[in-house]
Amino acid sequence: MLNHSRAWLEAEGNLVVTARAGLGDFPWSSAVTRLIAGINEEFGEERYRFLRRRILCDGTVSDWDRNLVKVCAKRMSSSDVSSLSLIFPGAPTPFPGEYAGSRQVLEVGMDLGPDPASDRTTHLPEVLDDSGAIASTARIAAAERAKFADTKPHLAPRCVAAILVDQDGHLIAANVNTNAGHQMRHAEVNLLLSMASRGIHRIPRGAVLYTSLKPCRMCASLILAMQEGPDPVRIVALADDPGPHGRHNMLPGSLVILRPQAPSF
């Protein structure tokens, strides 16, 4: 899963912000993910002035990384060892820990962990049939919209809900979007991270994911990376997403959309 070991960007002037890949083969342990997560944690509201810059990495990247950057940052390029000297003059290879010159390296890498504020699992019964899961997804999304009705749009998360059940309808996880302060915190990402924190590292065969909005390309990449086995996870979306990150066909044969237009968020 992890095809590169280091990601970085030239922040401004003499500062280089960088992250190493973490342990394990989980998408959120990749260097690109850890860099973006670290920038969000380190710089808060100032993160955009960093994420608008080009991210580089020393190797190939996964579909998750590519689509993560499309949703959360500006652009990304792979960099082979020979090009590192253009960024770090006189640097040793394969990647400098320290090097001569005026530039400073800031290491910010951190795994993306679960967001306890997103968890809605305890709000639901232990077993849900298809109609119950659909109704619960709609109800949770509506409750989130009501909660942020008086919040300025740029300060509110996009109110999306996601519920995952196994092939027998047993509830696995339920989460919402908390991306107001962290672009990666989509409902599906929060859901898969909360599962991993409980030791469930793959979407079980036969599971069904219910979501109030069609998964974006970033979430679709993560779903594909985390599913158990080659058969696509069945996804029931209550609404299509006409936005630029929702227009994709990454989940062929697995996606059922119940309404043709996305609701207003």
Side-chain angles (χ1 to χ4, degrees), residues 124-130 132-133 136 165-166 168-172:
L124 298 173
E126 294 183 1
V127 180
L128 290 164
D129 60 15
D130 198 58
S136 296
V165 302
D166 68 15
D168 298 316
H170 292 98
L171 178 66
I172 299 174

Side-chain angles (χ1 to χ4, degrees), residues 6-247:
R6 173 81 75 156
W8 69 95
L9 56 82
E10 266 193 297
E12 47 193 35
N14 66 343
L15 179 64
V16 175
V17 181
T18 184
R20 296 179 185 273
L23 300 176
D25 65 347
F26 305 115
W28 48 81
S29 295
S30 76
V32 171
T33 306
R34 284 169 54 81
L35 177 66
I36 295 176
I39 288 171
N40 274 273
E41 181 71 19
E42 181 80 19
F43 299 106
E45 289 299 317
E46 293 292 310
R47 64 186 179 273
Y48 294 110
R49 66 190 177 101
F50 295 98
L51 293 177
R52 290 192 182 104
R53 298 176 181 270
R54 185 164 58 109
I55 294 172
L56 294 105
C57 53
D58 59 349
T60 58
V61 297
S62 68
D63 287 340
W64 153 257
D65 283 325
R66 291 188 186 92
N67 288 305
L68 168 67
V69 169
K70 287 179 181 178
V71 172
C72 298
K74 186 175 182 180
R75 59 189 185 273
M76 177 172 60
S77 299
S78 293
S79 176
D80 58 27
V81 168
S82 62
S83 70
L84 291 176
S85 60
L86 300 177
I87 302 167
F88 305 96
T93 56
F95 189 93
E98 297 179 357
Y99 52 89
S102 61
R103 294 182 181 179
Q104 298 178 343
V105 173
L106 177 63
E107 187 88 27
V108 299
M110 60 179 293
D111 278 11
L112 186 64
D115 181 3
S118 73
D119 198 338
R120 298 293 182 274
T121 306
T122 58
H123 297 207
L124 298 173
E126 294 183 1
V127 180
L128 290 164
D129 60 15
D130 198 58
S131 60
I134 291 170
S136 296
T137 304
R139 183 173 64 252
I140 292 173
E144 290 296 299
R145 288 194 292 275
K147 183 191 302 183
F148 292 99
D150 297 327
T151 304
K152 293 180 180 180
H154 70 284
L155 297 177
R158 200 173 191 192
C159 299
V160 178
I163 295 174
L164 184 69
V165 302
D166 68 15
Q167 61 184 354
D168 298 316
H170 292 98
L171 178 66
I172 299 174
N175 290 76
V176 297
N177 193 319
T178 56
N179 74 329
H182 196 312
Q183 306 99 304
M184 271 189 276
R185 295 287 186 186
H186 290 200
E188 298 91 335
V189 175
N190 282 335
L191 183 144
L192 289 165
L193 287 168
S194 69
M195 287 169 50
S197 72
R198 293 184 279 119
I200 308 172
H201 296 294
R202 292 287 182 266
I203 301 174
R205 292 175 185 268
V208 183
L209 175 65
Y210 300 87
T211 180
S212 59
L213 190 68
K214 176 186 175 182
C216 71
R217 61 174 59 252
M218 177 184 74
C219 294
S221 297
L222 186 59
I223 291 165
L224 291 171
M226 299 308 293
Q227 68 182 22
E228 186 177 66
D231 297 331
V233 176
R234 181 170 178 256
I235 299 171
V236 178
L238 276 60
D240 199 358
D241 184 352
H245 300 306
R247 293 196 297 266

